[in-house]
Amino acid sequence: MRIHYYLGWFKNFFPENLRKVLKEDIIDRKSIVMISSNPSLYEDDGATERSWLDHAGIMFDEYHLINHRVQKEDAQRLIHNASVIFLLGGDILKQNGFLMEYELSDWIKKSNAVVMGASAGAINMSAKWLCSKNFGDEVETSSVYEGIGLDEFSVLSHFDLENNMELVQKELSPLSEEINIYASNKDCAVRIKGDKIDIIGDVYLISKSKIQKLAETI
């Protein structure tokens, strides 16, 4: 059964309801593979994201970080053998380019691992996403990028929604006519388990140019 977690960012650690379902879902804890969002910056090692898991009591026998220090074939092998794949937060565009450079998307889609992404990582897990300077991306022209496509929706994660609702709705309206968009900020998650979608924290659905806050389901 496919299990995907689209995470925002967490001020401290996972909230109790998220921690509970993660512990239930992550049964195989042999190997976690973390995918860098800045593969040439070797200090970007996922320490924050790992601390969330450590605090939740979710430990693994092996920890692996995929960046430019790892050969492409080795990266693909690590993903093939992973119990959990965690796409780290940070630079969305650099991570997106790295996924293409190392041809990792198909390996991730074929994997039976639990797949998680925080902030940038969550955005890159989705089918497609809007890259815009109004969302803090370092671009002049807005454009839509292809993500891994684990689920047929788009994600805007870890953005100050509450103070920018009109901006978000305006920016994402064209894409929302084509595909549903789940938008969230901090301390929240969208969990896909099989065909069921669960909501943790403050998550909004933007569909057909309309925005609505979703009720928590866990």
Side-chain angles (χ1 to χ4, degrees):
M1 180 185 295
R2 64 179 184 147
I3 301 176
H4 306 148
Y5 281 86
Y6 297 81
L7 307 175
W9 202 254
F10 298 89
K11 294 189 288 288
N12 295 304
F13 300 109
F14 293 143
E16 179 56 37
N17 51 352
L18 176 56
R19 188 160 60 234
K20 181 176 179 290
V21 290
L22 277 168
K23 292 184 87 164
E24 291 171 0
D25 288 341
I26 302 176
I27 299 165
D28 180 358
R29 301 184 186 179
K30 293 186 184 71
S31 166
I32 183 170
V33 174
M34 295 178 289
I35 302 175
S36 176
S37 69
N38 198 342
S40 298
L41 183 66
Y42 300 142
E43 296 80 11
D44 183 13
D45 60 0
T48 298
E49 291 92 330
R50 178 170 171 174
S51 74
W52 300 338
L53 291 166
D54 288 348
H55 187 262
I58 302 171
M59 315 289 189
F60 296 86
D61 296 337
E62 298 178 11
Y63 291 82
H64 301 281
L65 174 67
I66 294 177
N67 57 23
H68 278 140
R69 277 182 169 156
V70 179
Q71 296 296 313
K72 177 178 170 180
E73 293 76 16
D74 292 333
Q76 293 172 350
R77 177 182 54 79
L78 287 169
I79 285 174
H80 177 71
N81 294 327
S83 309
V84 171
I85 300 165
F86 200 149
L87 288 90
L88 302 177
D91 193 311
I92 316 169
L93 285 169
K94 285 181 180 176
Q95 188 177 63
N96 189 271
F98 185 53
L99 291 166
M100 288 191 289
E101 178 191 352
Y102 270 43
E103 299 177 350
L104 298 180
S105 292
D106 282 346
W107 287 88
I108 295 169
K109 286 172 84 169
K110 286 186 245 177
S111 172
N112 292 320
V114 174
V115 185
M116 308 169 63
S119 191
I123 292 168
N124 274 318
M125 282 168 59
S126 65
K128 55 182 67 175
W129 51 277
L130 179 69
C131 180
S132 168
K133 63 182 179 182
N134 289 326
F135 294 155
D137 301 319
E138 294 182 5
V139 293
E140 287 303 315
T141 307
S142 296
S143 55
V144 175
Y145 278 74
E146 297 290 325
I148 297 169
L150 291 174
D151 298 284
E152 200 53 39
F153 54 69
S154 180
V155 166
L156 174 65
S157 178
H158 189 201
F159 185 73
D160 184 14
L161 285 172
E162 291 78 3
N163 296 312
N164 294 281
M165 281 294 183
E166 288 185 16
L167 168 67
V168 167
Q169 192 164 5
K170 181 181 176 184
E171 284 282 298
L172 292 178
S173 278
L175 182 59
S176 78
E177 293 291 332
E178 177 187 345
I179 192 170
N180 284 344
I181 303 168
Y182 290 90
S184 62
N185 193 3
K186 294 182 178 179
D187 300 319
C188 56
V190 175
R191 174 208 197 202
I192 308 298
K193 188 168 185 177
D195 295 324
K196 189 171 185 290
I197 299 178
D198 282 309
I199 303 299
I200 297 169
D202 293 337
V203 179
Y204 295 78
L205 173 65
I206 307 169
S207 181
K208 305 297 182 187
S209 300
K210 295 180 180 178
I211 187 167
Q212 62 171 316
K213 187 174 181 180
L214 298 173
E216 278 197 276
T217 60
I218 293 177

